[in-house]
Amino acid sequence: MAEKVDMEEGKASNGDTLANGLSCHRKSSSPESPGQRVKRIVMANLLVILTVAGVILGVILGLGLRNAELTRTQIIYIGFPGELLIRLLKMIIIPLVVCSLVSGAASIDPKALGKLGGWAMLFFLVTTLIASAIGVAMAFIINPGSVTGSKPTVTGLDDDLPQPKEVIDSFLDLIRNIFPSNLVSAAFQSYATSYKKLNVTKNDTNGILTVMMDVSRVPYGTDQDGMNILGLVVFAIVFGVALRKLGEEGEILIKFFNSFNEATMVLVSWIMWYAPVGILFLVAGKIVEMENVAALFASLGKYIACCVIGHAIHGLLVLPGIYFLITRKNPYTFLWGIFTALATAFGTCSSSATLPLMMKCVEENNGVSKHISRFILPIGATVNMDGAALFQCVAAVFIAQLNNISLNFIQVVTILVTATASSVGAAGIPAGGVLTLAIILEAVGLPTNDISLILAVDWLVDRTCTVLNVEGDAFGAGLLQFFVDRTAKLEEGAELSEVKLEQEPAAAEHSPLIGRRGGKDDAEGDITALSSEKESIM
């Protein structure tokens, strides 16, 4: 028997040797050389290094081509490889979001699902409120709208201004989009309220004259281009819970969505290796496309600095600080693990397009389980918009300062609450936050004409917004993984203590109680014996 155990141990050690590729004797005798260590580190972080190189080379290429006086067609051709990256990522969004949420919701117990969703929404709400407060504070400290000369103007962007919308209609649209009337159309269209003028005819008191009354801004529903990802997310979660309720009948469909999800992640891993090339040409094309950058920074430099500094404070101090206080782990190691996704967010300006790469990064580099990442990250990409909320608050205070309008305390609170709430419905696409900025301006009575100034520099501010948005999603997934692990450890400890408590009274039963019972039984036996003897004598 001992020989058999020794042989099995030898087999296990040999198996470990073959799996690792190096024997224990070789590891101890020949330590890793500096060149081998550098090679191992480079190979382990190859994708991150390529992504950083892509961003740097993109900036160099863009600055070098600015003096070439390229035509508009040539600029489009330069940005073509980057356009391919965005198209590849958008292609994978719908199958990834739907399949990951269905499989995630079906694999988690409904009670645990509600608890996870509640913790996630609480984290997203708190961080968005903090981001909004930072935006307002930075705007009042830096005063980006206090210009000494004339008010800055930007021409050629008035046609891109979003139509002013009532606050109540905006939130009603949000609720309507949660329940899409057509799932197929929700993949490429969303509901939006527009306004039209109606002429109402009324008779006077004598019934002779007809009075024409012009009633403006009567709302009516329209379908606008853009994915209704909020409706798809809600449907996928509810559908996954319904599949779990079916039991064995739903297992086949759950396996289908799991397999579909795994195949989609394989496609994502292939797309990740094209990301550095796409980011290179995205950054270069955008730099070449910029016009009159010096004048733009001279007039709106304080506003840009206010937004970028606010994003840096929230992304490099606040979010890592929250993660460290709760988990006691190094948050910057976590950030390094998702650097490829952050660089992709900077290049694409789309949190939805970054979602596939973010899932891959948090699962492979930061140890987040598939159930957590594929359930929380799609929700975060839809409802968590820290960067958008911060920039909207800065923009609202900036426009108020430009028009010499002093904001009172109630208006500041209104900006905070409206920015936090409207960021939930902000589309995860480039310039998605600008569309909801009009809601905040309408809520506090500020003019919406100055949104053209925001659009003029949105190509830069929106990049830091997107980076902050996806960073908040990733930290949310990491915190939820920590809570799940801690809960599992507590439950294991409780089970072990219950087992010990059950064993102790069992041991106690065998000594005094059984002895007493044995004594009683012996006494009863003696009594019956005596009675039987008496009966026999009788």
Side-chain angles (χ1 to χ4, degrees):
M1 187 69 183
E3 291 177 0
K4 188 176 181 181
V5 170
D6 293 337
M7 288 175 66
E8 286 178 356
E9 289 177 356
K11 287 180 182 178
S13 63
N14 290 334
D16 291 340
T17 302
L18 291 174
N20 295 329
L22 293 171
S23 64
C24 297
H25 176 70
R26 187 177 299 175
K27 282 183 181 178
S28 61
S29 61
S30 61
E32 189 179 21
S33 64
Q36 290 176 340
R37 185 182 180 188
V38 170
K39 182 180 178 181
R40 178 176 57 82
I41 294 173
V42 169
M43 293 303 295
N45 300 284
L46 182 60
L47 187 59
V48 178
I49 295 171
L50 290 175
T51 306
V52 175
V55 174
I56 296 173
L57 291 176
V59 173
I60 296 172
L61 181 62
L63 293 175
L65 292 175
R66 279 188 62 83
N67 299 324
E69 296 182 358
L70 300 174
T71 63
R72 179 63 184 169
T73 305
Q74 291 171 333
I75 294 174
I76 293 174
Y77 291 159
I78 290 173
F80 177 71
E83 181 187 350
L84 281 183
L85 175 63
I86 296 178
R87 294 177 72 88
L88 287 171
L89 292 173
K90 287 184 176 180
M91 174 190 69
I92 214 81
I93 288 174
I94 292 178
L96 183 68
V97 169
V98 174
C99 295
S100 64
L101 283 175
V102 170
S103 60
S107 62
I108 302 175
D109 183 70
K111 292 182 180 179
L113 185 69
K115 193 176 293 185
L116 280 178
W119 279 111
M121 294 305 295
L122 178 64
F123 173 77
F124 294 154
L125 178 63
V126 170
T127 54
T128 306
L129 272 174
I130 294 174
S132 302
I134 291 174
V136 172
M138 293 299 299
F140 279 112
I141 292 171
I142 297 179
N143 286 324
S146 58
V147 292
T148 55
S150 61
K151 180 179 174 180
T153 57
V154 176
T155 59
L157 292 175
D158 293 334
D159 296 335
D160 297 331
L161 293 179
Q163 184 182 8
K165 189 185 294 187
E166 296 291 338
V167 178
I168 183 64
D169 289 330
S170 300
F171 288 107
L172 289 178
D173 287 349
L174 179 64
I175 297 173
R176 291 187 183 104
N177 283 319
I178 291 176
F179 306 101
S181 59
N182 190 331
L183 285 175
V184 177
S185 64
F188 55 88
Q189 283 183 334
S190 59
Y191 185 93
T193 297
S194 295
Y195 300 92
K196 60 183 177 181
K197 294 182 179 180
L198 282 181
N199 290 324
V200 180
T201 59
K202 287 187 178 181
N203 294 330
D204 64 352
T205 55
N206 298 326
I208 299 172
L209 289 175
T210 300
V211 181
M212 302 292 293
M213 296 184 62
D214 184 18
V215 181
S216 60
R217 295 182 66 80
V218 175
Y220 70 98
T222 59
D223 290 325
Q224 64 179 6
D225 292 335
M227 187 193 314
N228 179 12
I229 193 169
L230 187 61
L232 295 175
V233 163
V234 173
F235 171 79
I237 293 173
V238 176
F239 190 70
V241 174
L243 284 179
R244 185 180 178 87
K245 290 289 184 183
L246 286 178
E248 293 182 358
E249 295 179 359
E251 286 182 0
I252 297 175
L253 203 52
I254 293 173
K255 289 180 180 178
F256 165 77
F257 280 109
N258 286 335
S259 300
F260 204 128
N261 194 14
E262 293 299 327
T264 306
M265 293 307 292
V266 172
L267 294 178
V268 171
S269 65
W270 294 346
I271 295 172
M272 285 179 71
W273 290 103
Y274 178 70
V277 179
I279 292 171
L280 188 154
F281 287 98
L282 275 174
V283 174
K286 184 55 69 174
I287 291 176
V288 174
E289 189 180 348
M290 292 186 303
E291 296 179 359
N292 203 6
V293 182
L296 196 63
F297 273 84
S299 58
L300 298 173
K302 291 176 71 176
Y303 165 74
I304 297 172
C306 190
C307 291
V308 173
I309 292 172
H311 288 153
I313 291 173
H314 191 73
L316 296 177
L317 297 178
V318 176
L319 290 177
I322 294 173
Y323 182 81
F324 174 75
L325 288 175
I326 296 175
T327 65
R328 298 298 177 181
K329 297 178 182 178
N330 187 352
Y332 300 103
T333 305
F334 189 94
L335 279 177
W336 178 253
I338 60 171
F339 188 85
T340 302
L342 297 180
T344 306
F346 184 83
T348 60
C349 291
S350 174
S351 55
S352 297
T354 312
L355 179 60
L357 300 184
M358 181 59 76
M359 283 185 178
K360 201 75 176 173
C361 288
V362 296
E363 290 172 10
E364 294 184 353
N365 301 334
N366 292 335
V368 179
S369 66
K370 295 179 181 179
H371 297 304
I372 301 294
S373 67
R374 299 180 189 184
F375 175 70
I376 295 301
L377 290 179
I379 299 175
T382 309
V383 302
N384 184 37
M385 299 287 177
D386 292 356
L390 192 150
F391 123 80
Q392 288 166 358
C393 290
V394 173
V397 178
F398 167 68
I399 291 174
Q401 292 172 351
L402 276 181
N403 294 277
N404 294 321
I405 299 174
S406 59
L407 298 172
N408 55 35
F409 179 74
I410 301 299
Q411 288 175 314
V412 171
V413 173
T414 304
I415 290 174
L416 287 173
V417 174
T418 312
T420 303
S422 62
S423 64
V424 174
I429 58 174
V434 176
L435 302 177
T436 56
L437 177 59
I439 303 173
I440 303 171
L441 298 180
E442 289 282 341
V444 292
L446 294 174
T448 58
N449 298 329
D450 292 328
I451 294 181
S452 59
L453 297 172
I454 309 300
L455 283 171
V457 294
D458 188 66
W459 59 269
L460 176 59
V461 175
D462 195 32
R463 296 179 188 277
T464 56
C465 276
T466 309
V467 171
L468 190 56
N469 290 340
V470 299
E471 181 189 340
D473 300 342
F475 272 121
L479 287 174
L480 283 180
Q481 184 64 50
F482 172 77
F483 285 135
V484 169
D485 293 342
R486 189 178 66 175
T487 305
K489 288 181 181 178
L490 291 175
E491 288 178 354
E492 289 178 1
E495 288 177 0
L496 289 174
S497 62
E498 286 178 3
V499 170
K500 289 180 180 178
L501 288 172
E502 287 176 359
Q503 288 176 351
E504 287 174 359
E509 264 184 2
H510 285 291
S511 51
L513 292 178
I514 290 177
R516 289 176 185 176
R517 286 178 182 175
K520 289 181 180 179
D521 292 340
D522 293 339
E524 290 176 357
D526 294 339
I527 292 170
T528 53
L530 288 171
S531 61
S532 62
E533 287 178 359
K534 287 179 181 179
E535 287 177 357
S536 63
I537 292 170
M538 292 293 292

